[in-house]
Amino acid sequence: MNGTKVRKKKTTFWKACPLLISLVVFGIGFLILNSFREEEPEKKVKKPVPYYMQNGASSAESTPAQQETEQPPEQTEPMPSEPSEPTPKEFCQVGEHYFDDALFIGNSRTKWFGYYQPLGEATYYGVDMMTIYDVLDNTDTVNGYTGVYSVLAAKHYGKVYLCFGINECGFSNESFMESYQELIDTVRYYQPDALIFVQSIMYTTRERAEKEPVFNTSVISNKNEAISELDNGTDIFYLDVNEFVDDGTGYMKAEYSGDGAHLYPQYYELYRDYILAHGIVDKDHPAIAPKN
Amino acid sequence: MTFTSIKFLLFLAIFLIVYAATPARFRQYTLLLGSLVFAVFGSWLSALICVLFAVFSFIFGGLISGQRDKNKRRLYLLIGVAGNAVALVCFKAFSYLPLGVSYYTFSCIAYIVDVYRRTIPAENNPAAFAAFVTMFPKLQQGPITRYEEVSQNLMAPRVSWRGIQAGLESFVLGFCLKVLLADKLGGLWGELEMHGFQNLSMPLAWLGIITFSMQLYLEWQSYTFMALGIGKMLGFNLPNNFNYPYLAKTIGEFYRRWHMTLMRWFKDYIYIPLGGSRKGMVRTFLNILIVWFITSVWHGFGWNFLLWGMGLGVLIVLEKLFLGKLMDKLKILPHLYVIFFIVLSWCCFKVTDIHNLGVYFGRLFPMFGGSASRYQVGIGQYSGIWPYLLAGVLFCFPIPENIVRRFGKTWPGAIILSVLFWWAVYTVQKSGSMPLAYAGF
């Protein structure tokens, strides 16, 4: 009798609560899968060969193994012309066509800059919420390019503009700059003679920073200082885009933004003017010789 | 700690095990302790304020119950109700809202009034009463529960497999609805603010406000599913808050289906004491407008809320006068009428700055002089929202809920729900979940 009773109870639970059992079983499966995912090395993103290896002798020398390497190979390939004696360069006003061979990579600020104020024939790879930590793993399709490697390898660029940092305010400067350097190394591998422009993190409005203290001006300024140290005066340049948004107290002018972090469309004009006023032209350098 | 956080899921799992292992007659203490832990996760101050409200209301409930003198009873009622109400108004005025204060204040006032009316006896057990006020499934965002709805079960809450199954069905449905659908709709409004309302094309302005209307409903509905589901697992039948409001044929009916426990509270503790519909047509209309005025103020002190509440109040008065009868005779038009005005009312609700509200209405109706910006953003940028919006429309009907109720008990149904649930958990783990749009009231 007892045995029958016990069996009956078990059947009741089995029948009464399939969702609990199912949730627990799938939960265990989820946890196991999750732990495997954590141990797994970084996501495999296809890394195409650079533009200068796609045609001619160099491309014939590259093997499939090289083409799919996890890390960009050592820079042993013939480098396009590089000035033997780097001389410091100064910003100057440039025209729209200066950007015909420019590439802009960045977060939503780059995305909307490209949408509202496209410059010349410039290429934009801007993704909402993209960070310096996931930019190389990104697989979004933007303007026909899937992933940052795809856009970097597609063609030759004379200038590459980078815009990161607002989504990384909560992270340490060390890890942020380490990833920034990794991105610059990748850009340099794919575009050896391009000028790289690293943009400062644009402030948020005071109201936004009060709601989210991670956007405090001291946090942003601290990170900007670290970014500015990348500037070497020859092929990496720091652009302080806060020059045109600063309200004088280290925040974005309140009237410039609705959400406190992005400019209203009309103020992208100021952004555009700033970028136009900060070109680098060198008549001796083929990649950045004046075009108009 | 929102219901759609990993932290809460861990809390819930541990709490349920401890709660079920506690002998039934001691479960009210486990519930109280668990609810306090939940409140402390919000902030210590929030938890303390909640306990103070509970203590205050418990004392005044006892004072009223133990007093035979009519005048003294009335005085205690006045102090008890005013104490709760003034504290709530002060919190709102100073823009500091402790977790769930707008909701449990109403439950406390209802308790004091009901004890005064002798519809319920005063509670003698302070722990049971504190467990009722702080009860974590309803603490954050209601439903606004009356004491008699849970008091019997509080003494010895019954945990059963059947209750756990039914509760899990609700909870999983709510969790998935919030994470996999409502959150996907939630991002659009932020983008519209980013562009600036003056730069929206007319179709985008409409898409924005329709999407917000859908998001607000889905968030509320999903939260209600989760709250009621947790309640069921703990052995309580919390009152329902939503009954497919977008199917209503009049605005009055919409608000009998939307946030039902708040509307019930206003009806029972404001509208009826004012005389309800018993004192002639003019008083009835005045009472309706008073109720809607208080509803507006409860949501906030801005002009936009006043416009929202009084606009709806006037429409309900018009429905009582003639519009309701007209709508009764028609089939499709009443639904369009409700959706049109409710969507517009949500615009007043969402855009708190009165100037910006004017700009938004200018974009919704550019034919009335809303000037177009040369930086207009079109609807094409947001084509990805449509599948979520259409899925949201499906949840305006009872079909998905009925399917879950019917097939959640079967193995295939349980497996599908489990996969969806862990997919939603993965989504939360990867990118978090948006805070509830209604949590700030």
Side-chain angles (χ1 to χ4, degrees):
Chain A
M1 281 297 282
N2 275 348
T4 321
K5 266 188 182 171
V6 170
R7 206 163 40 244
K8 199 177 175 185
K9 254 189 177 174
K10 275 183 181 169
T11 314
T12 310
F13 165 66
W14 185 253
K15 275 189 178 172
C17 226
L19 188 51
L20 179 63
I21 299 164
S22 174
L23 281 171
V24 171
V25 170
F26 277 86
I28 293 167
F30 173 77
L31 289 175
I32 293 169
L33 275 177
N34 225 16
S35 63
F36 273 123
R37 265 178 52 83
E38 276 166 17
E39 285 166 18
E40 206 178 275
E42 63 178 277
K43 199 164 64 178
K44 278 196 171 180
V45 175
K46 195 176 177 189
K47 296 173 182 171
V49 292
Y51 74 93
Y52 54 83
M53 288 165 67
Q54 287 172 8
N55 298 311
S58 307
S59 94
E61 286 161 20
S62 67
T63 64
Q66 273 176 315
Q67 291 176 20
E68 297 291 328
T69 45
E70 280 299 304
Q71 294 299 323
E74 294 295 312
Q75 293 178 11
T76 52
E77 301 301 329
M79 298 281 287
S81 58
E82 202 176 287
S84 52
E85 281 295 316
T87 47
K89 299 176 180 76
E90 285 186 358
F91 292 126
C92 63
Q93 184 73 35
V94 291
E96 275 219 20
H97 290 294
Y98 176 81
F99 298 93
D100 287 350
D101 63 349
L103 167 64
F104 288 78
I105 301 173
N107 48 35
S108 50
R109 285 168 164 175
T110 291
K111 172 182 161 181
W112 292 109
F113 177 55
Y115 178 79
Y116 286 119
Q117 294 291 342
L119 286 163
E121 298 294 318
T123 307
Y124 293 87
Y125 192 86
V127 177
D128 291 333
M129 296 302 292
M130 189 160 72
T131 69
I132 201 76
Y133 303 108
D134 58 24
V135 55
L136 295 176
D137 293 332
N138 187 279
T139 51
D140 285 23
T141 299
V142 182
N143 296 324
Y145 298 104
T146 303
V148 149
Y149 287 101
S150 147
V151 71
L152 274 171
K155 57 184 176 186
H156 167 256
Y157 300 103
K159 305 101 195 166
V160 177
Y161 288 78
L162 305 177
C163 172
F164 289 95
I166 193 69
N167 300 321
E168 298 87 330
C169 281
F171 295 87
S172 75
N173 276 11
E174 289 75 35
S175 71
F176 176 69
M177 292 315 298
E178 198 179 304
S179 299
Y180 216 127
Q181 190 58 56
E182 192 187 344
L183 175 62
I184 287 178
D185 292 344
T186 307
V187 171
R188 181 58 69 226
Y189 170 69
Y190 281 95
Q191 300 294 333
D193 63 353
L195 295 182
I196 298 174
F197 292 86
V198 289
Q199 298 177 62
S200 67
I201 306 167
M202 197 184 285
Y203 296 139
T204 65
T205 58
R206 182 182 288 275
E207 191 189 352
R208 179 74 185 257
E210 280 170 359
K211 270 188 209 160
E212 294 173 66
V214 76
F215 297 136
N216 193 291
T217 186
S218 63
V219 176
I220 293 184
S221 299
N222 196 264
K223 277 208 159 44
N224 281 341
E225 210 178 305
I227 297 172
S228 71
E229 284 169 14
L230 292 168
D231 187 327
N232 59 15
T234 52
D235 60 1
I236 300 179
F237 299 92
Y238 174 71
L239 297 177
D240 183 10
V241 296
N242 284 314
E243 279 179 21
F244 69 90
V245 297
D246 194 350
D247 67 354
T249 64
Y251 291 99
M252 185 193 284
K253 287 176 186 164
E255 66 271 24
Y256 280 15
S257 176
D259 66 357
H262 300 86
L263 294 168
Y264 277 140
Q266 55 269 39
Y267 295 107
Y268 279 101
E269 266 185 33
L270 300 179
Y271 198 166
R272 176 180 185 273
D273 292 345
Y274 177 86
I275 296 287
L276 282 167
H278 288 78
I280 294 286
V281 176
D282 182 350
K283 60 182 171 47
D284 300 326
H285 194 305
I288 51 172
K291 293 190 176 164
N292 60 345
Chain B
M1 187 161 59
T2 61
F3 286 176
T4 47
S5 66
I6 304 286
K7 212 195 287 183
F8 178 75
L9 292 179
L10 287 172
F11 164 81
L12 184 63
I14 295 166
F15 176 80
L16 281 176
I17 293 167
V18 175
Y19 185 79
T22 309
R25 66 182 188 282
F26 296 122
R27 280 191 186 132
Q28 55 184 287
Y29 301 103
T30 313
L31 178 60
L32 174 60
L33 197 68
S35 298
L36 290 176
V37 170
F38 177 83
V40 166
F41 269 114
S43 79
W44 278 98
L45 193 58
S46 285
L48 183 68
I49 290 167
C50 185
V51 170
L52 286 177
F53 268 89
V55 170
F56 178 82
S57 304
F58 178 78
I59 290 171
F60 275 87
L63 285 174
I64 293 167
S65 173
Q67 189 55 252
R68 287 190 175 178
D69 184 329
K70 254 188 178 178
N71 289 332
K72 282 190 177 173
R73 278 172 64 84
R74 203 169 288 170
L75 180 70
Y76 291 142
L77 169 76
L78 194 72
I79 299 172
V81 171
N84 274 293
V86 169
L88 176 62
V89 170
C90 288
F91 283 128
K92 295 230 175 205
F94 290 106
S95 297
Y96 173 72
L97 284 176
L99 182 73
V101 69
S102 302
Y103 301 91
Y104 60 71
T105 309
F106 278 23
S107 286
C108 287
I109 291 175
Y111 167 76
I112 291 170
V113 174
D114 287 351
V115 169
Y116 175 81
R117 287 174 177 168
R118 295 202 171 93
T119 50
I120 56 165
E123 177 57 63
N124 294 320
N125 181 346
F129 186 73
F132 157 70
V133 176
T134 60
M135 194 185 269
F136 75 88
K138 66 175 186 62
L139 180 64
Q140 206 170 18
Q141 214 173 301
I144 297 164
T145 310
R146 285 177 178 159
Y147 190 54
E148 75 259 29
E149 287 170 325
V150 293
S151 58
Q152 276 197 328
N153 289 353
L154 260 176
M155 293 309 136
R158 192 169 166 265
V159 178
S160 65
W161 291 122
R162 218 171 278 272
I164 289 176
Q165 167 70 25
L168 278 176
E169 284 168 18
S170 278
F171 184 81
V172 169
L173 177 62
F175 193 93
C176 295
L177 194 57
K178 167 79 174 88
V179 177
L180 302 177
L181 200 51
D183 281 358
K184 305 288 180 197
L185 297 172
L188 181 63
W189 190 265
E191 296 258 317
L192 301 193
E193 284 178 332
M194 180 190 80
H195 294 305
F197 297 149
Q198 69 275 20
N199 297 311
L200 307 182
S201 65
M202 184 180 87
L204 185 56
W206 278 103
L207 178 70
I209 198 59
I210 288 170
T211 303
F212 173 72
S213 307
M214 188 60 77
Q215 179 212 349
L216 192 64
Y217 164 64
L218 292 177
E219 281 204 352
W220 253 118
Q221 179 69 79
S222 61
Y223 173 86
T224 304
F225 279 142
M226 287 189 274
L228 266 58
I230 300 167
K232 267 182 199 156
M233 286 189 263
L234 303 183
F236 297 97
N237 280 319
L238 297 177
N240 193 10
N241 235 356
F242 285 85
N243 183 24
Y244 303 99
Y246 285 118
L247 300 183
K249 288 174 85 176
T250 60
I251 304 292
E253 189 193 351
F254 180 90
Y255 277 98
R256 286 192 295 276
R257 291 163 170 260
W258 176 280
H259 204 175
M260 291 152 72
T261 57
L262 179 72
M263 293 306 149
R264 180 184 69 174
W265 192 94
F266 278 120
K267 184 180 151 213
D268 291 349
Y269 301 100
I270 307 275
Y271 180 71
I272 290 176
L274 283 173
S277 56
R278 302 184 308 275
K279 297 193 174 176
M281 197 184 274
V282 176
R283 273 295 295 274
T284 303
F285 297 158
L286 188 65
N287 291 341
I288 289 172
L289 292 176
I290 290 171
V291 164
W292 277 98
F293 174 76
I294 297 171
T295 310
S296 314
V297 174
W298 181 79
H299 282 89
F301 295 138
W303 286 104
N304 66 307
F305 290 117
L306 206 59
L307 194 61
W308 167 76
M310 297 318 284
L312 289 169
V314 168
L315 280 172
I316 292 171
V317 166
L318 292 177
E319 283 171 2
K320 292 250 179 205
L321 273 172
F322 68 95
L323 212 52
K325 281 176 194 158
L326 184 72
M327 292 300 170
D328 269 350
K329 292 173 190 162
L330 303 166
K331 280 194 171 174
I332 305 292
L333 194 69
H335 294 291
L336 296 177
Y337 150 77
V338 167
I339 289 167
F340 180 74
F341 280 105
I342 288 295
V343 163
L344 288 186
S345 75
W346 289 139
C347 191
C348 302
F349 187 86
K350 181 63 178 168
V351 186
T352 51
D353 180 275
I354 206 80
H355 168 74
N356 281 340
L357 184 59
V359 172
Y360 204 101
F361 269 92
R363 299 317 306 141
L364 289 172
F365 304 102
M367 57 292 260
F368 298 120
S371 57
S373 144
R374 68 189 174 100
Y375 291 105
Q376 267 202 28
V377 192
I379 207 165
Q381 282 288 319
Y382 298 103
S383 51
I385 206 92
W386 290 107
Y388 298 109
L389 205 51
L390 290 174
V393 171
L394 196 65
F395 279 89
C396 291
F397 295 87
I399 307 159
E401 189 190 351
N402 290 344
I403 291 173
V404 169
R405 301 268 178 248
R406 188 160 174 197
F407 295 104
K409 291 167 190 65
T410 65
W411 278 104
I415 289 169
I416 291 169
L417 279 178
S418 300
V419 171
L420 282 173
F421 175 76
W422 287 107
W423 177 22
V425 171
Y426 175 69
T427 308
V428 170
Q429 188 196 27
K430 210 173 132 198
S431 46
S433 178
M434 294 179 79
L436 292 158
Y438 222 86
F441 293 101

